[in-house]
Amino acid sequence: MNTALTPATSAPAVRPYQSYVYAYPHKTAYHALTDRPALRALWADEPKDALSLYLHIPFCEVRCGFCNLFTRIGAPDGLTSAYLDALERQADAVSEAIGDGARFAAAAFGGGTPTFLEAAELERLCDIAEQRMGADLAAVPLSVEASPATATADRLAVLAARGTTRLSLGVQSFVDAEARSAVRPQRRADVEAALARIREAGIPVLNIDLIYGIDGQTGHSWLRSLDAALAWRPEELYLYPLYVRPLTGLGRKGAAESEAEWDARRLRLYRLGRDHLLGRGYEQISMRMFRRADAPATGGEDHACQTDGMIGLGCGARSYTSGLHYSFDYAVDMREIRGIIDDYVSRPTADFARAEHGRAITGDEARRRHLLQSVLQAEGLDVAAYRARFATDPAGDFPEELARFAARGWLDPAAGPGRLRLSAEGLAHSDALGPELFSPAVRAAMAAYEAK
């Protein structure tokens, strides 16, 4: 480790919960691409031997109070069929643009709630991935998101038969009062019944999502939820801190505690949950993700999110090339989302052959993205791989940021010179560390974004 990164004895307090960095740059930094570049040109010189495929379904039976995802409540008669029609047209245009020789190393169906689709519609969704895009769902890891109400036996049977290797169930809390507080109408009995159906379907990896920081949640009730989840021996658990974002259901409610008190409570609950899982045979993969030590391998090891491209289909999906990240327009407000979906389903095939919203990925942004997506994982960043890709050193590219992280005790000095790895406290502060690596240009674009 560079001596400039030696931890100092003290550091100023930092708010631990600023932003969840699941992708960089965020879609609020995207802008309309006036030249609307052709996908054929964007993908012409891109490596296509280990792509990721993502299909987005923007429908949910309800919208949780904390949710700011691109999704709408319900679907009028015929809308899901019209949406799948549009997905087929988009898949045809994209498949033609990327050309022969594309190979998918991983696939995912997200949303929204993909299992909002009925069983026959899920069959059709899988056909789009396989027959129109060429993804072999039986040979690559396929992850699908679900909710308890939509995890029905017939839908799960389709997913299992088509090669789903991982099913992620949004539970958030096994305590009914906490679910209501988060504006998530569900009963624990229904959640347990859904988990039984998932286990009966035989999908190899079950992930359960839980949220900490809900109004009224205590350490005792948090452990009750964790133990209720552990009773199903899930291969993975995601522990999410609650965020209250603009234009969401909770965003319109008054806060019962100060921001500082809420931060402190969330941090206590995170540490309690982390230690509880580590003491019960789980390994920490990131701030949010925990995997059972004896869980089966999920596959897809030949896809690297830092370097390999992604093809996104659907009006809420994004796609990544080495030089451009692109998508359709983004919104949180329900009326705006409905308008974007209606526009999407009306488009002809030719209209899907060009990118229209996105952000160019310069050399600096590529380095930031590589550092972010590596260091926010528990295993950290392989310095030799970074040097091989960029012919520079992360300590030289980001001296101020890394020195600041070290001063706060967020870097692990035992990692050695070949690896840049967060300490336990650094992982706990991932949602503060990540945003500090945003470029000034991305910060400015996000600040200028008008929420809609």
Side-chain angles (χ1 to χ4, degrees):
M1 182 74 66
N2 189 310
T3 55
L5 305 184
T6 302
T9 55
S10 63
V14 177
R15 289 203 60 198
Y17 301 104
Q18 297 179 29
S19 178
Y20 173 23
V21 184
Y22 60 90
Y24 180 79
H26 190 269
K27 286 177 79 172
T28 54
Y30 290 13
H31 58 84
L33 303 171
T34 55
D35 58 340
R36 292 201 65 197
L39 300 189
R40 182 181 295 274
L42 291 177
W43 286 97
D45 298 321
E46 292 290 311
K48 295 187 280 281
D49 59 334
L51 297 173
S52 176
L53 178 64
Y54 178 80
L55 274 65
H56 180 258
I57 303 300
F59 306 109
C60 290
E61 73 274 17
V62 296
R63 190 171 195 184
C64 303
F66 52 83
C67 177
N68 73 334
L69 297 178
F70 187 96
T71 187
R72 63 164 290 164
I73 301 171
D77 287 347
L79 183 57
T80 54
S81 293
Y83 187 82
L84 291 171
D85 290 343
L87 266 181
E88 288 181 345
R89 296 194 299 273
Q90 186 185 9
D92 289 344
V94 171
S95 181
E96 182 179 356
I98 62 176
D100 297 333
R103 174 187 168 272
F104 292 97
F109 300 159
T113 307
T115 48
F116 180 89
L117 299 178
E118 295 179 354
E121 293 174 320
L122 285 172
E123 290 275 17
R124 190 176 170 195
L125 186 68
C126 293
D127 287 343
I128 292 171
E130 291 197 323
Q131 298 173 13
R132 294 177 184 267
M133 293 305 301
D136 186 351
L137 298 183
V140 302
L142 170 61
S143 178
V144 181
E145 297 171 5
S147 67
T150 61
T152 59
D154 59 339
R155 292 174 170 109
L156 293 170
V158 168
L159 294 176
R162 297 302 292 263
T164 301
T165 54
R166 177 182 182 270
L167 190 118
S168 181
L169 191 72
V171 173
Q172 319 318 343
S173 178
F174 283 86
V175 179
D176 289 351
E178 291 179 3
R180 288 193 299 271
S181 180
V183 195
R184 184 179 178 87
Q186 67 183 25
R187 298 183 307 140
R188 176 171 174 175
D190 296 330
V191 172
E192 300 278 3
L195 286 165
R197 292 192 297 269
I198 293 167
R199 281 310 196 195
E200 186 175 351
I203 294 171
V205 174
L206 165 65
N207 172 70
I208 297 176
D209 288 344
L210 297 174
I211 286 181
Y212 55 92
I214 299 170
D215 188 33
Q217 189 178 52
T218 65
H220 177 70
S221 67
W222 177 227
L223 289 177
R224 281 175 58 198
S225 269
L226 287 167
D227 285 338
L230 289 171
W232 293 95
R233 299 199 74 239
E235 285 72 23
E236 295 177 3
L237 278 158
Y238 269 72
L239 309 185
Y240 288 95
L242 178 65
Y243 277 92
V244 175
R245 301 177 176 94
L247 302 180
T248 63
L250 291 181
R252 292 188 291 270
K253 291 189 172 184
E257 59 191 334
S258 71
E259 293 289 343
E261 290 170 333
W262 191 32
D263 282 348
R265 182 164 64 92
R266 283 183 289 180
L267 200 53
R268 285 196 302 271
L269 292 172
Y270 161 78
R271 290 170 174 150
L272 181 63
R274 174 198 63 193
D275 295 347
H276 197 67
L277 295 184
L278 293 178
R280 284 156 180 78
Y282 285 76
E283 301 171 336
Q284 187 166 19
I285 308 302
S286 68
M287 172 186 164
R288 287 164 171 75
M289 181 181 179
F290 295 81
R291 180 181 294 142
R292 211 177 71 212
D294 62 347
T298 55
E301 290 81 5
D302 55 345
H303 174 81
C305 63
Q306 296 94 332
T307 57
D308 292 324
M310 183 167 82
I311 298 288
L313 301 180
C315 58
R318 67 184 81 197
S319 298
Y320 303 147
T321 70
S322 59
L324 181 74
H325 290 188
Y326 63 91
S327 68
F328 295 97
D329 200 3
Y330 172 73
V332 175
D333 178 76
M334 192 60 65
R335 182 179 300 175
E336 296 283 349
I337 290 173
R338 286 197 296 264
I340 294 172
I341 294 172
D342 290 345
D343 172 71
Y344 175 82
V345 301
S346 70
R347 291 176 178 233
T349 302
D351 213 27
F352 292 118
R354 293 181 175 273
E356 55 186 65
H357 284 80
R359 187 167 190 89
I361 305 301
T362 64
D364 174 68
E365 298 292 16
R367 287 190 289 271
R368 289 179 184 276
R369 180 171 183 263
H370 189 111
L371 177 61
L372 270 170
Q373 293 194 311
S374 300
V375 80
L376 292 181
Q377 301 296 308
E379 66 179 7
L381 179 142
D382 182 333
V383 175
Y386 183 98
R387 288 175 181 150
R389 182 180 180 190
F390 299 111
T392 57
D393 190 279
D397 289 339
F398 304 99
E400 295 180 4
E401 294 92 335
L402 294 180
R404 190 161 62 243
F405 300 158
R408 295 170 182 162
W410 290 357
L411 299 182
D412 181 2
R419 187 157 293 272
L420 188 63
R421 187 170 64 210
L422 297 185
S423 64
E425 200 61 13
L427 278 175
H429 286 79
S430 291
D431 286 6
L433 184 152
E436 290 197 34
L437 289 172
F438 292 4
S439 71
V442 164
R443 288 176 181 274
M446 294 176 68
Y449 174 78
E450 295 185 9
K452 59 181 182 180

